[in-house]
Amino acid sequence: MKTHAIRINEYGGPDVLQLVEVEVPELGPGEARVRHTAIGLNFIDTYHRSGLYPGALPSGLGSEAAGIVEAVGDHVTDVKVGDRVVYTGMPADSYSEVRNFPAARLVQIPEGVSDEQAAATLLKGLTAWYLLHHSYPVKPGDNVLLYAAAGGVGLLAAQWARHLGVRVIGVVSTEEKAALARANGCAEIIMANDDVPACVREMTAGVGVAAVYDSVGKDTFMASLDCLRPHGVMVTFGNASGPVAPFAPAELAKRHSLYVTRPVLFDFVTTRPQLLEACGKLFEVLGNGAVKVSINQRYSLRDAATAHRDLEARKTSGSTILVP
Ligand code: NDP
């Protein structure tokens, strides 16, 4: 059986993405074949494309999609043909019409959540979940700083944090994004070009925030340390501006016994029970309206390169869907 899928033969800019016809392999044991209805675009896809996170080439791309189970291999018990499912994970190949994927990593989409909403929320929403519950478990009344607050992870994390009683200070690059972030959970906004630590001190009576959720990386890491209260937690979870440079642990001592963590989503959902429990929490806040997903861009799968260009140029907000 043939399908259309994005392939990369070399690392580089968006131009390396090629939509080609490929053969879908025979189903292996434990695998299910999923016909995609909506594909989630994520910043991590740009790292896989550029080679920042290298793998074997040639390669597919994409770590998240929703769709319908079309067939199952031997020993599959977690899903059945006809199920509406969503997944996130490797190997990267969600930029495709049809693919095989381990059935144990597929999650049934509950009624009331559309395929698009599921594909726009799973990877980013589970990230928001572990950031707020594990990397630094927030408490009501906490002040936290959230970079890219109007982005895909940003809008979800800000709403979820507000729901948990947290005062979120968001960092964004434009007035339009500021309005969006304010409407989605941020109590305060700092513009990315401003002196972020000075603004944070002013907004927290000179104390600093309990945690910084920093997905920008290289450009913001040291300033983020300056935003923390004593014993505060620096959660560096992304590289939108490039990877963080090596730094001396003494920098943490100088700023009063800070903590730093560099988490990865897949370490928090390694087993099926963990995955289902986390998804349960995510679907709960989506279902009760505490967290809403904004799908602000849609591109056809064949325009994935344009989607990457816009994402990297900071032109997008909220979640983005590729339509297969
Ligand atoms: P976003 O929608 O948040 O897009 C990235 C945003 O980062 C931009 O819109 C922009 O917002 C901001 N940004 C700041 N500096 C730059 C820069 N130099 N180049 C480009 N963008 C910049 O993407 P996602 O929601 O998909 O992902 C958010 C981040 O979270 C990424 O860094 C990603 O790698 C990380 N992530 C990490 C995970 C983990 O487990 N460790 C899991 C999922 C995501 P603005 O213009 O407002 O500054």
Side-chain angles (χ1 to χ4, degrees):
M1 167 190 187
K2 302 262 189 212
T3 189
H4 291 98
I6 295 285
R7 288 286 175 271
I8 56 169
N9 295 308
E10 57 182 326
Y11 299 124
D15 289 342
V16 302
L17 303 189
Q18 292 179 359
L19 187 71
V20 294
E21 196 176 58
V22 294
E23 185 72 27
V24 182
E26 289 295 310
L27 275 173
E31 285 187 337
R33 180 166 301 155
V34 182
R35 180 163 294 275
H36 293 150
T37 49
I39 300 160
L41 179 80
N42 289 284
F43 214 91
I44 193 174
D45 306 341
T46 70
Y47 308 148
H48 290 140
R49 186 209 72 217
S50 69
L52 179 65
Y53 293 175
L57 291 176
S59 168
L61 208 65
S63 304
E64 176 180 49
I68 307 283
V69 175
E70 233 177 34
V72 294
D74 291 341
H75 315 303
V76 168
T77 52
D78 295 310
V79 295
K80 58 184 187 320
V81 171
D83 278 358
R84 222 159 52 86
V85 294
V86 61
Y87 68 84
T88 178
M90 302 291 281
D93 196 17
S94 69
Y95 287 13
S96 57
E97 295 164 343
V98 178
R99 75 169 301 181
N100 300 338
F101 197 74
R105 307 291 298 170
L106 295 174
V107 177
Q108 274 95 353
I109 304 172
E111 266 181 48
V113 177
S114 72
D115 292 14
E116 271 206 340
Q117 287 169 334
T121 325
L122 192 73
L123 195 161
K124 301 169 191 76
L126 292 182
T127 300
W129 162 78
Y130 86 71
L131 291 174
L132 299 171
H133 293 87
H134 291 282
S135 294
Y136 170 75
V138 293
K139 292 184 288 301
D142 274 343
N143 290 306
V144 304
L145 185 70
L146 174 68
Y147 278 89
V153 173
L155 287 185
L156 298 169
Q159 294 175 81
W160 205 331
R162 177 180 60 185
H163 176 62
L164 296 169
V166 172
R167 179 168 172 250
V168 182
I169 305 173
V171 183
V172 297
S173 65
T174 66
E175 287 300 337
E176 202 183 340
K177 289 185 177 183
L180 202 57
R182 272 204 183 88
N184 286 275
C186 287
E188 310 283 350
I189 291 292
I190 300 174
M191 301 309 287
N193 284 336
D194 285 350
D195 181 341
V196 175
C199 294
V200 165
R201 273 194 297 278
E202 203 182 304
M203 291 170 176
T204 58
V207 175
V209 291
V212 177
Y213 298 105
D214 184 340
S215 60
V216 177
K218 180 166 158 274
D219 290 353
T220 51
F221 183 81
M222 292 312 290
S224 290
L225 296 186
D226 288 333
C227 296
L228 286 162
R229 71 181 185 194
H231 307 282
V233 179
M234 169 66 179
V235 185
T236 170
F237 71 102
N239 323 275
S241 66
V244 174
F247 73 100
E251 298 292 340
L252 307 178
K254 231 173 21 190
R255 292 168 178 81
H256 307 291
S257 306
L258 302 181
Y259 297 83
V260 175
T261 178
R262 197 338 181 163
V264 177
L265 167 62
F266 301 109
D267 291 335
F268 296 85
V269 286
T270 51
T271 65
R272 183 158 181 84
Q274 284 172 346
L275 175 67
L276 293 183
E277 191 191 335
C279 288
K281 305 273 184 218
L282 175 61
F283 291 139
E284 186 184 315
V285 289
L286 289 175
N288 67 21
V291 174
K292 295 189 174 66
V293 59
S294 300
I295 301 173
N296 292 351
Q297 299 77 212
R298 286 180 184 81
Y299 304 81
S300 136
L301 177 58
R302 64 178 58 255
D303 294 329
T306 309
H308 274 223
R309 274 188 211 99
D310 289 351
L311 184 63
E312 290 176 293
R314 303 164 82 156
K315 287 183 183 164
T316 65
S317 64
S319 294
T320 301
I321 289 292
L322 302 178
V323 182

